[in-house]
mmCIF file of all heavy atoms in Angstrom:
data_model
loop_
_atom_site.group_PDB
_atom_site.id
_atom_site.type_symbol
_atom_site.label_atom_id
_atom_site.label_comp_id
_atom_site.label_asym_id
_atom_site.label_seq_id
_atom_site.Cartn_x
_atom_site.Cartn_y
_atom_site.Cartn_z
ATOM 1 N N LYS A 4 4.313 -3.169 -26.839
ATOM 2 C CA LYS A 4 3.849 -1.674 -27.040
ATOM 3 C C LYS A 4 2.246 -1.661 -26.909
ATOM 4 O O LYS A 4 1.602 -2.671 -27.038
ATOM 5 C CB LYS A 4 4.214 -1.271 -28.491
ATOM 6 C CG LYS A 4 5.625 -0.988 -28.632
ATOM 7 C CD LYS A 4 5.922 -0.225 -30.001
ATOM 8 C CE LYS A 4 7.207 0.373 -30.027
ATOM 9 N NZ LYS A 4 7.459 1.258 -31.181
ATOM 10 N N GLN A 5 1.811 -0.479 -26.630
ATOM 11 C CA GLN A 5 0.439 -0.141 -26.507
ATOM 12 C C GLN A 5 -0.180 -0.921 -25.401
ATOM 13 O O GLN A 5 -1.352 -1.395 -25.581
ATOM 14 C CB GLN A 5 -0.317 -0.308 -27.777
ATOM 15 C CG GLN A 5 0.435 0.227 -29.018
ATOM 16 C CD GLN A 5 0.420 1.652 -29.064
ATOM 17 O OE1 GLN A 5 -0.379 2.354 -28.518
ATOM 18 N NE2 GLN A 5 1.415 2.253 -29.645
ATOM 19 N N ASN A 6 0.466 -1.325 -24.407
ATOM 20 C CA ASN A 6 -0.217 -2.177 -23.340
ATOM 21 C C ASN A 6 -0.400 -1.527 -22.073
ATOM 22 O O ASN A 6 -0.159 -0.308 -21.882
ATOM 23 C CB ASN A 6 0.717 -3.489 -23.270
ATOM 24 C CG ASN A 6 0.398 -4.439 -24.375
ATOM 25 O OD1 ASN A 6 -0.754 -4.881 -24.554
ATOM 26 N ND2 ASN A 6 1.355 -4.826 -25.213
ATOM 27 N N VAL A 7 -0.771 -2.406 -21.130
ATOM 28 C CA VAL A 7 -0.977 -1.972 -19.695
ATOM 29 C C VAL A 7 0.331 -2.097 -18.928
ATOM 30 O O VAL A 7 0.847 -3.060 -18.848
ATOM 31 C CB VAL A 7 -2.078 -2.745 -19.042
ATOM 32 C CG1 VAL A 7 -2.280 -2.116 -17.632
ATOM 33 C CG2 VAL A 7 -3.400 -2.627 -19.872
ATOM 34 N N TRP A 8 0.857 -1.005 -18.430
ATOM 35 C CA TRP A 8 2.092 -0.934 -17.607
ATOM 36 C C TRP A 8 1.865 -0.454 -16.268
ATOM 37 O O TRP A 8 0.966 0.379 -15.928
ATOM 38 C CB TRP A 8 3.126 -0.013 -18.256
ATOM 39 C CG TRP A 8 3.794 -0.580 -19.489
ATOM 40 C CD1 TRP A 8 3.113 -1.082 -20.593
ATOM 41 C CD2 TRP A 8 5.194 -0.665 -19.791
ATOM 42 N NE1 TRP A 8 3.986 -1.400 -21.585
ATOM 43 C CE2 TRP A 8 5.261 -1.233 -21.005
ATOM 44 C CE3 TRP A 8 6.359 -0.327 -19.052
ATOM 45 C CZ2 TRP A 8 6.553 -1.451 -21.663
ATOM 46 C CZ3 TRP A 8 7.491 -0.602 -19.630
ATOM 47 C CH2 TRP A 8 7.630 -1.113 -21.024
ATOM 48 N N VAL A 9 2.560 -1.116 -15.378
ATOM 49 C CA VAL A 9 2.572 -0.671 -13.908
ATOM 50 C C VAL A 9 3.994 -0.273 -13.494
ATOM 51 O O VAL A 9 4.904 -1.016 -13.798
ATOM 52 C CB VAL A 9 2.030 -1.936 -12.974
ATOM 53 C CG1 VAL A 9 2.184 -1.498 -11.510
ATOM 54 C CG2 VAL A 9 0.608 -2.198 -13.361
ATOM 55 N N TYR A 10 4.056 0.918 -12.969
ATOM 56 C CA TYR A 10 5.335 1.170 -12.363
ATOM 57 C C TYR A 10 5.462 0.502 -10.984
ATOM 58 O O TYR A 10 4.639 0.750 -10.099
ATOM 59 C CB TYR A 10 5.445 2.849 -12.218
ATOM 60 C CG TYR A 10 6.692 3.306 -11.292
ATOM 61 C CD1 TYR A 10 8.038 3.131 -11.790
ATOM 62 C CD2 TYR A 10 6.436 3.599 -10.002
ATOM 63 C CE1 TYR A 10 8.961 3.389 -10.975
ATOM 64 C CE2 TYR A 10 7.436 3.862 -9.179
ATOM 65 C CZ TYR A 10 8.667 3.893 -9.634
ATOM 66 O OH TYR A 10 9.885 4.189 -8.858
ATOM 67 N N VAL A 11 6.547 -0.357 -10.815
ATOM 68 C CA VAL A 11 6.659 -1.030 -9.685
ATOM 69 C C VAL A 11 7.658 -0.386 -8.710
ATOM 70 O O VAL A 11 8.840 -0.292 -9.113
ATOM 71 C CB VAL A 11 7.082 -2.420 -9.990
ATOM 72 C CG1 VAL A 11 7.372 -3.333 -8.763
ATOM 73 C CG2 VAL A 11 6.034 -3.158 -10.843
ATOM 74 N N GLU A 12 7.206 0.012 -7.523
ATOM 75 C CA GLU A 12 8.066 0.601 -6.587
ATOM 76 C C GLU A 12 8.721 -0.367 -5.732
ATOM 77 O O GLU A 12 7.923 -1.294 -5.198
ATOM 78 C CB GLU A 12 7.263 1.651 -5.791
ATOM 79 C CG GLU A 12 8.050 2.543 -4.935
ATOM 80 C CD GLU A 12 7.147 3.741 -4.290
ATOM 81 O OE1 GLU A 12 6.210 4.035 -4.883
ATOM 82 O OE2 GLU A 12 7.520 4.060 -3.228
ATOM 83 N N LEU A 13 9.967 -0.241 -5.458
ATOM 84 C CA LEU A 13 10.585 -1.238 -4.494
ATOM 85 C C LEU A 13 10.919 -0.558 -3.182
ATOM 86 O O LEU A 13 11.226 0.643 -3.063
ATOM 87 C CB LEU A 13 11.939 -1.698 -5.017
ATOM 88 C CG LEU A 13 11.955 -2.422 -6.431
ATOM 89 C CD1 LEU A 13 13.418 -2.792 -6.868
ATOM 90 C CD2 LEU A 13 11.042 -3.689 -6.403
ATOM 91 N N VAL A 14 10.738 -1.306 -2.131
ATOM 92 C CA VAL A 14 11.026 -0.915 -0.718
ATOM 93 C C VAL A 14 11.968 -2.027 -0.183
ATOM 94 O O VAL A 14 11.653 -3.188 -0.040
ATOM 95 C CB VAL A 14 9.831 -0.747 0.239
ATOM 96 C CG1 VAL A 14 10.212 -0.328 1.665
ATOM 97 C CG2 VAL A 14 8.749 0.095 -0.386
ATOM 98 N N ASP A 15 13.276 -1.590 0.090
ATOM 99 C CA ASP A 15 14.326 -2.549 0.487
ATOM 100 C C ASP A 15 14.347 -3.659 -0.447
ATOM 101 O O ASP A 15 14.556 -4.872 0.005
ATOM 102 C CB ASP A 15 13.943 -2.990 1.849
ATOM 103 C CG ASP A 15 14.098 -1.970 2.930
ATOM 104 O OD1 ASP A 15 14.879 -0.937 2.674
ATOM 105 O OD2 ASP A 15 13.301 -2.026 3.907
ATOM 106 N N GLY A 16 14.197 -3.431 -1.728
ATOM 107 C CA GLY A 16 14.450 -4.574 -2.714
ATOM 108 C C GLY A 16 13.170 -5.313 -3.050
ATOM 109 O O GLY A 16 13.140 -6.201 -3.818
ATOM 110 N N GLU A 17 12.102 -5.084 -2.255
ATOM 111 C CA GLU A 17 10.822 -5.891 -2.377
ATOM 112 C C GLU A 17 9.816 -5.076 -3.000
ATOM 113 O O GLU A 17 9.830 -3.858 -2.792
ATOM 114 C CB GLU A 17 10.389 -6.268 -0.927
ATOM 115 C CG GLU A 17 11.286 -7.183 -0.111
ATOM 116 C CD GLU A 17 11.422 -8.590 -0.674
ATOM 117 O OE1 GLU A 17 10.621 -9.121 -1.348
ATOM 118 O OE2 GLU A 17 12.616 -9.009 -0.449
ATOM 119 N N LEU A 18 8.814 -5.641 -3.606
ATOM 120 C CA LEU A 18 7.680 -4.921 -4.245
ATOM 121 C C LEU A 18 6.937 -4.369 -3.198
ATOM 122 O O LEU A 18 6.521 -4.920 -2.157
ATOM 123 C CB LEU A 18 6.772 -5.848 -5.048
ATOM 124 C CG LEU A 18 7.151 -6.191 -6.480
ATOM 125 C CD1 LEU A 18 8.590 -6.839 -6.622
ATOM 126 C CD2 LEU A 18 6.087 -6.993 -7.069
ATOM 127 N N SER A 19 6.643 -2.900 -3.220
ATOM 128 C CA SER A 19 5.738 -2.252 -2.249
ATOM 129 C C SER A 19 4.329 -2.819 -2.363
ATOM 130 O O SER A 19 3.947 -3.408 -3.410
ATOM 131 C CB SER A 19 5.781 -0.768 -2.502
ATOM 132 O OG SER A 19 4.988 -0.569 -3.672
ATOM 133 N N PRO A 20 3.637 -2.799 -1.242
ATOM 134 C CA PRO A 20 2.222 -3.311 -1.206
ATOM 135 C C PRO A 20 1.409 -2.613 -2.316
ATOM 136 O O PRO A 20 0.644 -3.549 -2.976
ATOM 137 C CB PRO A 20 1.742 -2.838 0.124
ATOM 138 C CG PRO A 20 2.984 -2.805 1.075
ATOM 139 C CD PRO A 20 4.087 -2.283 0.165
#
Side-chain angles (χ1 to χ4, degrees):
K4 282 198 170 188
Q5 316 291 334
N6 277 306
V7 178
W8 283 54
V9 172
Y10 166 74
V11 175
E12 190 172 331
L13 298 181
V14 179
D15 295 332
E17 304 287 334
L18 275 61
S19 71

